[in-house]
Amino acid sequence: MPIVTARAVHRSFGPRRVLDDVSVSIHRGERVGMVGLNGAGKSTLGRILAGVDVPDSGTVAPRRGARIAHLAQRPVLAEGATALSIALSGLQDWSRARRRYESLNTEISAGDLPQHELDGRIAAQAAAAEELERHGGWDLVHRAEAILGHLGIADPDAAAIHLSGGEQRRVDLARVLIAQPDLAVLDEPTNHLDLESIDWLERFLLDEFAGALLLITHDRYLLDRVATRTLELSDGHLYSYDGRYEDYLQAKAERQAHEERAESNRRNMLRTELEWLRRQPKARTTKSQSRIARIEAAAAIAAPRPTATVELSAAAARSGKTVLELHDVSVRGGGRTLVEHLTLYLGQGERIGIVGPNGCGKSTLLRCLTGEEEPSAGKIVRGANTRIAYLEQGSRRLDDDATVFENVIGDRTVVRAGELELSPRMYLERFLFDYSAQTARVGTLSGGERARVRLAKLLAEPSNLLILDEPT
């Protein structure tokens, strides 16, 4: 029996239809991956299946009593809550029994109740304790703390308002995992996770999570290890493939080859039939009219659209002998030493990767390299001709109320891309923003589309040192 079924779902944003007659069911215990281009509507379909959003038309029917939890790309958490209280908030029945137990415990401890009322409170407390055990018992607190720790949240009592965007998202992921819903809709679950946390998450989903999964992700490794069915959303249509990500790639290639053969046959048929039409006299028989109708029907079929790819190129500024030097640099943050006695010389053409667990100071170090923050000791030397392009985590440099064109282009009349000089419109088209998308407000875009806006804005400026914080 399916946990949720969607039938003939349509959803549009202005003139853009992202879901066009989409139907899908997710059954108990299934582990389903969903893939597609940025802006294809994956997050929208995930929200609709989770009951967070509604379609323009069509039906969505969850199984009666089914518990569906949703991990959003940008969660909104209660400011006054702690990481632990948020992580436990998905356990509604358990939380209700716990509050009842603690409230009764306070009344009993006061010691000013008549005996008959005290006996009633004690009996009610025993019932609350029994219900608490039925929903997992007191061990759930320790389990929640352990899961938060695996996801890089060292202090479970930290207030949500003091957490970074990435930390808030990891807390929200813990909420979904601890709740053990019948269906977890996880939108980009490995974003903001380090390699160790991703490895733990994969093992948890395979070994400990009993519910069904819908994984909306570009993480092909997660899909190949966890998913047993893959959905692809393309041009508003949903395709389903059995098997892991590798199986999906093979089946998709076969589907595309079939579509190409069918399109080639259609074009050949149209050429033949159009030649026949030119040779025919004006008088039409019934048989001729039927043949013409078939030709018109074939001509009306839309050809498969080729998959577009982003074209990344940047205008390089002339670089001097010195690009970047770090001399005995130390960095402190949050009362901890993050980097100590680092000496580094970065020359032209070098490519350096920085890895490490969440919270170890990678982003703080990058902000020091750009000059946004100062090291606590040592010296950072940037060359006289060094021009830095810095892609930070998050989108705080974007204006959500402005359009894509306004955010990226500003008042430019031409943009350099490598050796080319492009018009602003042509430049944005290289990042898969057609004319209508260029006029869309950034606040209406998907997470992946916003990332493309950030890249387009970054690469529009000439630079000779790219600093990329979680670029994918």
Side-chain angles (χ1 to χ4, degrees):
M1 182 178 181
I3 296 170
V4 63
T5 299
R7 292 188 179 90
V9 165
H10 293 81
R11 187 73 161 91
S12 298
F13 294 96
R16 186 165 60 106
R17 176 166 287 186
V18 295
L19 302 177
D20 187 4
D21 196 29
V22 167
S23 297
V24 64
S25 294
I26 298 178
H27 292 75
R28 179 180 178 182
E30 268 200 303
R31 299 197 298 269
V32 182
M34 180 154 60
V35 299
L37 297 177
N38 293 328
K42 304 184 299 296
S43 296
T44 299
L45 181 56
R47 289 195 300 271
I48 288 173
L49 293 174
V52 177
D53 200 353
V54 294
D56 296 332
S57 62
T59 61
V60 180
R63 190 185 70 210
R64 180 176 295 180
R67 294 177 303 116
I68 302 176
H70 177 246
L71 172 70
Q73 286 197 35
R74 292 189 286 172
V76 178
L77 306 182
E79 290 186 358
T82 65
L84 181 60
S85 65
I86 293 167
L88 291 169
S89 64
L91 301 166
Q92 295 180 357
D93 294 335
W94 180 89
S95 298
R96 194 179 302 112
R98 183 187 180 187
R99 287 194 299 269
R100 176 69 172 155
Y101 179 91
E102 291 176 343
S103 174
L104 289 164
N105 190 59
T106 300
E107 293 181 29
I108 293 169
S109 300
D112 55 358
L113 293 172
Q115 188 61 44
H116 70 282
E117 290 188 21
L118 180 62
D119 292 341
R121 298 292 196 282
I122 292 173
Q125 186 187 40
E130 199 173 298
E131 184 180 359
L132 193 63
E133 287 298 324
R134 190 164 62 250
H135 293 296
W138 293 102
D139 285 344
L140 277 178
V141 175
H142 302 302
R143 179 174 172 79
E145 291 174 342
I147 288 177
L148 285 169
H150 285 299
L151 294 174
I153 306 298
D155 182 9
D157 295 321
I161 194 171
H162 295 140
L163 299 175
S164 68
E167 288 171 326
Q168 289 187 4
R169 198 159 189 279
R170 283 178 262 143
V171 169
D172 203 40
L173 175 58
R175 172 190 63 82
V176 175
L177 299 180
I178 293 163
Q180 289 282 333
D182 298 298
L183 170 62
V185 179
L186 305 181
D187 196 346
E188 296 290 358
T190 57
N191 279 6
H192 304 289
L193 295 185
D194 56 37
L195 296 177
E196 185 178 340
S197 296
I198 292 173
D199 183 62
W200 174 85
L201 177 63
E202 289 173 354
R203 286 185 281 107
F204 182 91
L205 294 177
L206 288 170
D207 301 335
E208 299 186 45
F209 189 82
L213 286 169
L214 176 59
L215 301 168
I216 304 168
T217 181
H218 294 283
D219 188 336
R220 63 183 63 190
Y221 302 103
L222 179 71
L223 288 171
D224 212 36
R225 291 166 186 161
V226 177
T228 55
R229 179 160 68 106
T230 302
L231 304 175
E232 182 193 16
L233 194 56
S234 177
D235 289 331
H237 301 291
L238 193 68
Y239 303 91
S240 180
Y241 304 86
D242 290 330
R244 299 183 181 275
Y245 186 75
E246 187 177 342
D247 302 316
Y248 147 72
L249 289 178
Q250 183 175 345
K252 178 184 177 180
E254 292 172 356
R255 188 198 92 209
Q256 289 178 326
H258 173 75
E259 289 175 348
E260 289 169 2
R261 287 194 298 272
E263 174 62 12
S264 177
N265 293 337
R266 184 182 74 94
R267 289 178 181 274
N268 290 334
M269 184 272 284
L270 283 174
R271 279 194 292 270
T272 301
E273 295 301 296
L274 287 172
E275 184 62 31
W276 171 81
L277 279 174
R278 293 189 191 99
R279 296 196 307 266
Q280 292 304 299
K282 291 185 178 181
R284 303 295 187 189
T285 64
T286 301
K287 187 174 182 180
S288 296
Q289 293 292 343
S290 176
R291 186 170 179 178
I292 292 169
R294 288 197 302 273
I295 297 171
E296 290 173 344
I301 297 173
R305 292 201 304 176
T307 300
T309 56
V310 175
E311 296 182 50
L312 293 182
S313 56
R318 185 172 60 85
S319 178
K321 182 178 179 181
T322 298
V323 178
L324 185 70
E325 296 179 359
L326 282 70
H327 300 277
D328 200 28
V329 166
S330 295
V331 179
R332 289 183 58 81
R336 296 182 299 135
T337 298
L338 304 174
V339 179
E340 193 167 24
H341 303 306
L342 173 62
T343 295
L344 174 69
Y345 298 91
L346 181 65
Q348 293 183 39
E350 284 194 273
R351 286 156 170 76
I352 295 178
I354 303 178
V355 298
N358 287 323
C360 73
K362 301 185 297 296
S363 295
T364 306
L365 175 60
L366 295 184
R367 288 194 294 271
C368 289
L369 300 184
T370 65
E372 287 192 10
E373 295 187 19
E374 291 297 323
S376 54
K379 185 171 67 171
I380 297 178
V381 178
R382 302 170 195 89
N385 294 321
T386 297
R387 300 183 66 176
I388 296 175
Y390 174 42
L391 183 72
E392 63 183 343
Q393 291 192 47
S395 306
R396 65 185 177 93
R397 296 177 189 267
L398 299 181
D399 182 352
D400 283 354
D401 294 324
T403 66
V404 171
F405 188 95
E406 292 165 342
N407 267 280
V408 176
I409 302 301
D411 57 0
R412 292 185 183 90
T413 57
V414 67
V415 183
R416 283 193 61 83
E419 299 300 318
L420 300 176
E421 286 193 350
L422 302 174
S423 71
R425 299 289 182 194
M426 288 180 64
Y427 176 74
L428 286 172
E429 286 173 0
R430 293 165 73 95
F431 291 85
L432 308 188
F433 293 111
D434 59 20
Y435 181 79
S436 62
Q438 292 175 23
T439 60
R441 286 192 311 108
V442 166
T444 66
L445 302 181
S446 71
E449 289 172 316
R450 291 170 69 88
R452 292 211 308 274
V453 174
R454 290 163 56 215
L455 273 172
K457 184 174 183 178
L458 179 83
L459 298 179
E461 295 285 351
S463 63
N464 48 38
L465 173 56
L466 285 174
I467 297 180
L468 309 177
D469 193 353
E470 295 290 356
T472 61

